[in-house]
Amino acid sequence: MLKQMLACCKVYISESRNHAALESIERAVKQYPDAVIVNKFQDEAYNRVGYTLVSHMIPSTSSDATPLRRAVVEMVKAAFEAINLESHNGTHPRLGVVDHICFHPLSRTSLENVAMVTRSVGAEISDKLQVPIFLYGAVHEERRTLDAIRRELGYFKPNSSGNQWSGGADYDLLRLKPDFGPAQAARAKGVVVVGATQWVDNYNVPVASTDISAVRRIARRVSGRGGGLKSVQAMALTHGEHSTEVACNLLDPQRVGAEQLQLEVERLASEEGLTVGKGYFTDFSQEKIIENYLKLHSFD
């Protein structure tokens, strides 16, 4: 039986083509050997990379002592030093250089423990980097959701031709008051959304079509917001020259899993006369993440 308290953090960065920048970000994590990158999901078309970090949690009232917290903050600092959002373009939406940071409890760790670390991370990033921070989930007093923040800030609307997001967003006057940091965002940095929730699976289903309007209809109909599968969030994204994807967040994988989602996307696509490929996860399962961590990190 695993006795360590473990937590996970997923850091999504708006870059995948600048390998020197990614190397500097990964070096920042290596300063803290107790925090391990157990997965890296890099997508050239989206120009986005997702890192999954795991570390043990120290039973303490102080989140400063948590290796995961220190590693994530250094990782974010390195990302802002290496990446300028004004020169970025890709087919995945983003709000900033570091687009999204989400913490999840793993073995023997409560969501409340993770929320304490999450809030500390958000506060320190805003203080050191002077970037607006928006909190969601267990770390927000009203349990605000990630998609609510994104909708308020125009996340889902491409700002360039070809369904691309290009350059820095116009955040001179933020429509939503940040929880930490300045009320204005620099175009080169953008904003950072930081949250803590129970586990979320990310599952993308490729569609062999460039008809983004049709795929958007599928994405809306499959999502809980559109009257489809509860606990599913979905959006349609251009992915390469000849295909699109229905990119999904499974907020309660035990209730609605990837198999059910795949079948529903296939059904809806057939009504549009479109062909669907086999979907894929962008990360490992919780069990595999823990297994990878234990392989990569030796405990005393």
Side-chain angles (χ1 to χ4, degrees):
M1 179 179 178
L2 186 62
K3 296 180 180 181
Q4 288 79 20
M5 295 172 61
L6 299 179
C8 164
C9 181
K10 299 187 180 185
V11 182
Y12 296 93
I13 295 172
S14 301
E15 182 59 68
S16 69
R17 303 165 187 167
N18 184 339
H19 297 287
L22 300 188
E23 287 173 1
S24 69
I25 291 166
E26 292 160 26
R27 279 197 303 271
V29 179
K30 292 179 180 178
Q31 299 177 69
Y32 305 97
D34 286 335
V36 177
I37 296 176
V38 297
N39 188 45
K40 174 184 177 182
F41 184 80
Q42 193 171 342
D43 193 294
E44 294 286 326
Y46 289 153
N47 200 7
R48 179 179 174 92
V49 61
Y51 290 102
T52 303
L53 289 78
V54 174
S55 179
H56 64 275
M57 296 283 285
I58 300 174
S60 168
T61 56
S62 173
S63 60
D64 293 343
T66 305
L68 188 59
R69 170 194 174 278
R70 297 197 300 266
V72 170
V73 170
E74 290 303 316
M75 190 178 201
V76 171
K77 286 170 59 180
F80 276 107
E81 289 170 2
I83 300 167
N84 184 331
L85 194 64
E86 291 188 284
S87 60
H88 176 275
N89 75 299
T91 60
H92 196 290
R94 73 287 184 278
L95 293 175
V97 168
V98 180
D99 181 60
H100 178 205
I101 301 171
C102 51
F103 286 83
H104 305 294
L106 293 175
S107 170
R108 298 171 60 85
T109 303
S110 70
L111 184 57
E112 289 72 22
N113 289 145
V114 169
M116 182 176 66
V117 177
T118 305
R119 187 172 187 86
S120 176
V121 166
E124 184 169 358
I125 291 172
S126 70
D127 181 57
K128 290 186 174 180
L129 301 173
Q130 290 301 297
V131 60
I133 302 292
F134 294 92
L135 302 176
Y136 77 92
V139 76
H140 189 266
E141 59 183 11
E142 297 177 0
R143 294 298 195 267
R144 180 170 57 188
T145 63
L146 173 61
D147 67 321
I149 297 171
R150 286 174 163 176
R151 290 182 191 283
E152 191 71 25
L153 296 179
Y155 178 85
F156 298 102
K157 297 178 181 178
N159 66 352
S160 185
S161 61
N163 293 292
Q164 295 262 338
W165 281 261
S166 181
D170 185 7
Y171 291 137
D172 290 339
L173 293 174
L174 291 169
R175 290 177 286 178
L176 193 64
K177 182 181 178 181
D179 296 282
F180 296 119
Q184 295 182 333
R187 294 180 69 89
K189 294 182 178 180
V191 307
V192 185
V193 183
V194 183
T197 70
Q198 297 292 353
W199 186 259
V200 174
D201 272 339
N202 306 113
Y203 187 78
N204 296 349
V205 183
V207 182
S209 173
T210 57
D211 186 349
I212 190 68
S213 295
V215 181
R216 282 179 180 149
R217 288 193 294 270
I218 296 169
R220 180 165 183 81
R221 291 179 64 192
V222 80
S223 69
R225 180 180 171 85
L229 300 174
K230 293 181 179 179
S231 74
V232 171
Q233 297 172 337
M235 59 182 171
L237 299 174
T238 299
H239 193 251
E241 295 182 2
H242 306 294
S243 67
T244 54
E245 289 190 339
V246 180
C248 302
N249 293 334
L250 307 182
L251 305 183
D252 188 354
Q254 298 302 316
R255 182 179 182 183
V256 178
E259 184 176 349
Q260 183 178 353
L261 173 65
Q262 177 79 35
L263 291 173
E264 184 63 7
V265 172
E266 290 174 359
R267 185 186 71 81
L268 295 171
S270 68
E271 294 181 4
E272 298 280 353
L274 301 179
T275 302
V276 169
K278 176 62 177 175
Y280 62 93
F281 291 98
T282 64
D283 205 346
F284 299 119
S285 66
Q286 293 183 72
E287 295 77 14
K288 184 65 175 178
I289 283 173
I290 293 172
E291 178 185 333
N292 285 356
Y293 177 72
L294 296 177
K295 287 180 180 178
L296 293 168
H297 183 275
S298 59
F299 291 94
D300 292 335

